[in-house]
Amino acid sequence: MSQSILYDVAVIGGGPCGATAAADLAREGLSVVLIDKAGRIKPCGGAIPPRLIRDFDIPDELIVARVKSAQIIAPSARAVDMPIDGEGFVGMVDREHFDEWLRERARREGATRVVGAFERLSRDASGQVRVFYRAGKEEGGKQVESLRARYVIGADGALSAIARQELPDAGRVSYVFAYHEIVRSPRVAKPAGDQASSPRFDANRCDIYYDGRVSPDFYAWVFPHGDTTSIGTGSANKGFSLRSAVGEVRRSTGLEACETIRREGAPIPLRPLKRWDNGRDCVVAGDAAGVVAPASGEGIYYAMASGRLAAQSVSLAIATGDAKCLGLARERFMKIHRKVFFILGIMQYFWYANDARRERFVSMCADRDVQRLTWQSYMNKELVRRNPAAHIKIFFKDLAHLTGMIPP
């Protein structure tokens, strides 16, 4: 690639966040380069809400399953069903194909795709950013190359090298470490002698385990993806064996004999960074900015939403010549999502503390008012305000569970 080209924007990282930002900017007619490693698939349950499908024009062929309910399992093995009312559903995607489709959409919109691993940023004599990267699919084996850009969007994941280089305190964020195994989905019916089936498995249901044996401070999951299924867990406890916990989930659910297709692990940030931009020419978004929902670990929607806001802030900075516009990405994101993140953070801190509280939490999930408001908030990505009486009722039920007035 010619080093004489000056791009308006270099986007580092081609996950949902970076690919969305690159597509939006290219659609505006700006010159955009998207630099992404090849071949890496992020460990992820793959759940996306209907709002994401609407807001980001996701085609039906990328939705590999439509989940109509969840089952919440307590330490005592008590299971609570949480059906979704009406026509609602949770879409499931395979990140291998979903992410690549988003990257290709960015290319179709006009972004230049470059396969390479980011190395560092520097500034030349004119003040333009120079992005250094190792080109090609084999990290460490290729010569370092560079390109120039006016602005940079860092969408390079939870351990963002760009955030650590450009932003103060970026390396002090706490993480949950997630691990999952993608397996061949079992058959629903169990023929005689068939070891690759599970009587507990439901291809239209997500199973979530709140149990200290499979996660001391988070949860474990079984998420169907059509022909495949994600079985995973997460924990901030570095001494906890995630692989052993996933093995336990597979044994307890009858999924042990299913063919394992791949194994993946990665950190998940626990809270948004206090600052996303360097005030000059760089802004981060997605996991690099820490925008993963506490308690649930949901990140795809928030990654794409923050990527879009980062693109808007860069576009405005280019149009006005004012780098202060970069700060609008975080400001606008937190204005929309701060309350949800705050409430989920409290929920994770309190309810996930021990198995006694997890048992009560699962009991609370059996309440139909809790279920309706939970699904409405999840699918629409905002707190539901239309029924204040229900919120008041849930508050007092929650208080009763906390104080033990309602038995688990």
Side-chain angles (χ1 to χ4, degrees), residues 225-237:
H225 292 171
D227 291 338
T228 63
T229 295
S230 167
I231 307 170
T233 188
S235 176
N237 184 342

Side-chain angles (χ1 to χ4, degrees), residues 278-318:
N278 65 357
R280 181 181 180 183
D281 51 23
C282 179
V283 61
V284 298
D287 280 12
V291 291
V292 175
S296 69
E298 182 194 358
I300 300 177
Y301 172 80
Y302 296 111
M304 296 177 75
S306 66
R308 174 156 289 174
L309 290 171
Q312 292 171 0
S313 72
V314 168
S315 178
L316 189 58
I318 291 173

Side-chain angles (χ1 to χ4, degrees), residues 64-71 82-84 88-90 92 188 200-207 222-226 229 375:
V64 296
R66 293 173 181 254
V67 168
K68 297 291 294 181
S69 69
Q71 188 173 84
M82 295 183 62
I84 301 175
F89 66 93
V90 176
M92 306 302 294
V188 177
R200 288 189 57 108
F201 180 79
D202 187 330
N204 298 308
R205 186 188 71 208
C206 290
D207 292 348
V222 176
F223 285 179
H225 292 171
T229 295
W375 285 126

